[in-house]
Amino acid sequence: MSTPRENLSYKDIKRVVLERIQKRIWAPDSLLPSETELAEEFSSTRTTVNRALRELAEEGFLERKRKAGTRVLNAPLRKAQFTIPQVSDEITEAGKTYRYSLVNRALIDMPSWLSAKLATKATQQVLYIECMHFADNAPFQYEVRWIMPKSVPAALDADFREVGPGSWLAQEMPFTDLEVTFTATKADQQIAEFLDAREGDPIFTTQRTTWLRAQPVTHARLYFAPGYKMTTRL
């Protein structure tokens, strides 16, 4: 038995399958041919076909079940796709000059609310960091972060005077799980002063928590200056 010639990439196969779905060649709720049949049609491999179908399933066009096959969803689920850039990249890509400033760094007892959120012991200490990020010397983001020394012992030796904790962690510590929450909060006196806002102003706020194989790594609250806008594409 000869090995199939891989003439089409997974992106090519993905494009053809999506086109057939959109043109109703494969109608909603209908089953697609098997991966073996598609691999033969496209002169490709099952691995390549599998990747194309998997991505279409992740994007909400297909439903895949073991032994039941792959079917076209009746109502495709459009999923927002967005990236979480480093704040320095976000600022420089906007054509502005980035500047970082450390406000506070201290080893403190873990707050009870953080212990409850992370489902971990409250007896351990955490590295507490406050810092500011500027765009063209104007306040852009006020960052408050807690780093778990048990997960990231090297953080105890980092002074974070030159490099922000987010950038440092991205280089030094991987994570396997991420939780992100977006909210609008009212600026208290401290936040208002850092962001050159008025007390009570609505502030776009992001909370991020990361884990490495169920071990909490860091929790951060990021407060953005008034006028900040996040854009995503569907």
Side-chain angles (χ1 to χ4, degrees):
M1 183 175 179
S2 62
T3 302
R5 291 181 299 108
E6 192 168 87
N7 290 337
L8 295 180
S9 69
Y10 83 92
K11 291 182 178 180
D12 294 326
I13 295 173
K14 180 180 174 182
R15 176 181 51 78
V16 172
V17 172
L18 182 57
E19 185 177 79
R20 291 179 183 180
I21 293 171
Q22 292 171 335
K23 290 183 176 180
R24 296 296 193 267
I25 295 173
W26 289 329
D29 290 324
S30 66
L31 282 172
L32 268 62
S34 68
E35 289 183 4
T36 301
E37 292 171 320
L38 290 173
E40 183 176 350
E41 175 188 350
F42 295 124
S43 296
S44 186
T45 65
R46 282 192 59 185
T47 300
T48 304
V49 170
N50 179 277
R51 182 174 179 181
L53 299 184
R54 184 176 71 247
E55 287 198 2
L56 285 171
E58 290 172 351
E59 292 170 13
F61 293 99
L62 300 174
E63 179 182 64
R64 310 191 73 200
K65 292 184 178 179
R66 289 191 62 185
K67 298 183 179 180
T70 302
R71 72 178 183 88
V72 179
L73 283 176
N74 185 47
L77 303 173
R78 298 307 304 274
K79 298 182 180 180
Q81 307 241 342
F82 62 92
T83 58
I84 302 177
Q86 292 295 321
V87 62
S88 57
D89 294 337
E90 191 173 4
I91 290 171
T92 55
E93 287 174 6
K96 298 182 179 181
T97 301
Y98 170 71
R99 182 168 66 85
Y100 162 80
S101 177
L102 177 66
V103 175
N104 186 21
R105 178 193 182 281
L107 193 62
I108 64 171
D109 293 332
M110 179 178 287
S112 57
W113 64 265
L114 183 59
S115 172
K117 176 176 179 58
L118 301 179
T120 189
K121 294 181 180 179
T123 54
Q124 61 183 297
Q125 291 189 307
V126 294
L127 188 60
Y128 174 77
I129 298 170
E130 292 177 78
C131 54
M132 278 294 300
H133 305 273
F134 299 87
D136 285 347
N137 286 324
F140 183 85
Q141 182 193 97
Y142 168 52
E143 175 179 353
V144 183
R145 185 179 292 270
W146 296 260
I147 300 176
M148 315 304 147
K150 183 177 179 180
S151 301
V152 199
L156 294 175
D157 297 323
D159 60 24
F160 299 108
R161 293 180 181 176
E162 302 297 329
V163 179
S167 297
W168 185 88
L169 284 164
Q171 294 293 323
E172 300 290 333
M173 190 66 186
F175 62 85
T176 55
D177 297 279
L178 167 69
E179 177 185 276
V180 183
T181 302
F182 302 104
T183 57
T185 57
K186 290 185 178 181
D188 59 19
Q189 182 179 0
Q190 180 172 325
I191 294 172
E193 289 177 356
F194 277 120
L195 296 180
D196 195 19
R198 294 175 301 181
E199 191 170 350
D201 277 354
I203 298 295
F204 183 87
T205 305
T206 301
Q207 294 193 60
R208 300 180 192 168
T209 309
T210 60
W211 293 263
L212 178 61
R213 293 186 292 275
Q215 188 75 21
V217 173
T218 182
H219 176 74
R221 292 178 181 171
L222 312 174
Y223 303 92
F224 292 84
Y228 176 79
K229 181 173 64 175
M230 173 176 282
T231 303
T232 187
R233 297 182 65 184
L234 293 174

